Amino acid sequence: MEFGRVTDEELNFVDFSLPPDPDFTVETLQSANTTGPLQVRAGCAKWGRKEWVGKIYPPKTKDANFLDEYVKHFNCIELNATFYQTYGPATISKWKEKADANPDFKFCPKFSQSISHIRRLKNAEDITTSYYEGVMAFGDKLGPLFLQLSDNYTPKSLPELTAYLESLPTDVPVFVELRHKEWFSVPANKEAVFSLFKRLNIGSILTDASGRRDCLHMMLPTPHAFIRFVGNSLHPTDYARCDEWVDRIMQWKELGLQSVWFFMHQHDERYSPELCDYVIDKLNQRLGTNLMRPTFISKDEGLFK
């Protein structure tokens, strides 16, 4: 992922601390009718990484078998493949069959770029129908859906965003990622869009990237957290940031959080399994969960030591 990337020198000047929780989030969590244990999931964005062959995938693993191996290590995936192509039920059923080896596994498919970036949520009914027809083939392996808006999708398009979200089925959870700076820098815009999400029971994505700290808005319109963490090749700050996230998740759990989806990205994705394993281990320690951890054939130490 290139979003929010800074130079190695600039990393030393980034304030990586998590912002405090706004009243909006505290009220959302405290008013949630929370019963049962916190549902916790952690994984990566893609399974098709050749760099993981010999690391978590056995040597000589073929591309066609990457998903078979991925599901042995993680309980979910932030599925970016559906952003670049709209897949029909036949293909998605094959992916589901591969994931059946892990009964707890979930796919979180990203909305097609044809919907979000090309048609910009307007006149997208046909593509949206095709997208839903495809992803519903995941059946019990389907997690929440993920709508990413481009960094040039401005608050001026709030009416179109409202109409589109109002048109979506309500039986599958949806999370939205905002990127244009004016969603966050202008208080009226921020209040309007997150109030919309709360009214429609739409989740908001928290993106923790070095060069875009404004996307770390900490606004939860639902008692569910979807976190996209972007690390820097196992830089020491990656681990400190993950520690702070585990602390915050613990605090949210006490307030009423019902689920957390933590997806690991790196600007160099070869290092994602190592840092994801670190997060999973910390979550298991602090929350008392028993999340599966990736099993390594070998590990990288990263660019930073």
Side-chain angles (χ1 to χ4, degrees), residues 9-28:
E9 293 74 18
E10 289 172 321
L11 280 176
N12 298 317
F13 302 99
V14 176
D15 179 4
F16 282 113
S17 59
L18 294 180
D21 293 334
D23 291 341
F24 180 91
T25 292
V26 174
E27 292 169 1
T28 295

Side-chain angles (χ1 to χ4, degrees), residues 62-301:
K62 297 181 179 179
D63 292 14
N65 300 120
F66 283 174
L67 177 56
D68 304 77
E69 297 301 324
Y70 180 91
V71 302
K72 298 176 182 178
H73 300 280
F74 304 100
N75 67 2
C76 63
I77 188 164
E78 182 202 280
L79 185 58
N80 280 283
T82 52
F83 178 72
Y84 300 102
Q85 181 176 337
T86 301
Y87 293 91
T91 297
I92 286 181
S93 293
K94 292 178 181 178
W95 293 346
K96 178 185 181 297
E97 290 174 6
K98 288 175 176 287
D100 282 340
N102 180 349
D104 193 41
F105 193 84
K106 299 290 185 183
F107 294 87
C108 299
K110 192 174 184 179
F111 276 72
S112 168
Q113 63 179 340
S114 296
I115 297 169
S116 57
H117 288 57
I118 298 175
R119 297 198 183 179
R120 299 173 70 82
L121 310 185
K122 294 185 293 186
N123 301 315
E125 294 84 0
D126 54 340
I127 305 175
T128 300
T129 297
S130 297
Y131 166 79
Y132 270 87
E133 287 175 346
V135 300
M136 293 306 291
F138 281 125
D140 62 358
K141 291 288 189 289
L142 182 61
L145 312 181
F146 163 27
L147 175 63
Q148 179 189 85
L149 301 178
S150 73
D151 53 10
N152 62 16
Y153 194 90
T154 76
K156 293 180 181 179
S157 295
L158 181 60
E160 290 82 3
L161 175 59
T162 300
Y164 185 75
L165 295 180
E166 288 178 339
S167 74
L168 295 180
T170 58
D171 55 339
V172 181
V174 173
F175 286 80
V176 176
E177 181 183 30
L178 302 168
R179 288 190 164 188
H180 192 276
K181 294 182 178 181
E182 289 182 4
W183 290 114
F184 314 113
S185 63
V186 180
N189 295 337
K190 189 173 185 180
E191 179 179 358
V193 73
F194 288 107
S195 294
L196 169 68
F197 293 167
K198 176 170 278 191
R199 175 172 68 84
L200 298 178
N201 198 34
I202 298 288
S204 64
I205 290 176
L206 299 166
T207 303
D208 187 344
S210 304
R212 283 297 306 274
R213 306 311 290 166
D214 54 340
C215 292
L216 203 56
H217 50 76
M218 309 308 280
M219 298 282 281
L220 296 183
T222 69
H224 306 278
F226 190 122
I227 300 159
R228 305 185 81 213
F229 182 98
V230 188
N232 294 289
S233 302
L234 307 184
H235 188 275
T237 56
D238 286 357
Y239 298 96
R241 292 165 63 196
C242 288
D243 288 342
E244 190 172 0
W245 264 116
V246 173
D247 288 342
R248 185 61 59 92
I249 291 168
M250 285 289 296
Q251 295 172 25
W252 286 348
K253 175 180 179 290
E254 296 304 314
L255 289 172
L257 188 69
Q258 295 178 357
S259 72
V260 58
W261 302 78
F262 195 105
F263 290 107
M264 182 60 63
H265 295 256
Q266 295 276 352
H267 296 304
D268 186 341
E269 293 289 2
R270 83 181 78 172
Y271 303 115
S272 289
E274 283 86 351
L275 199 57
C276 198
D277 178 53
Y278 180 83
V279 171
I280 293 170
D281 183 38
K282 292 297 182 181
L283 289 170
N284 283 341
Q285 291 178 32
R286 296 291 303 281
L287 295 171
T289 50
N290 190 29
L291 303 180
M292 64 189 307
R293 294 177 59 186
T295 301
F296 288 88
I297 301 167
S298 65
K299 286 189 177 183
D300 283 317
E301 296 183 8

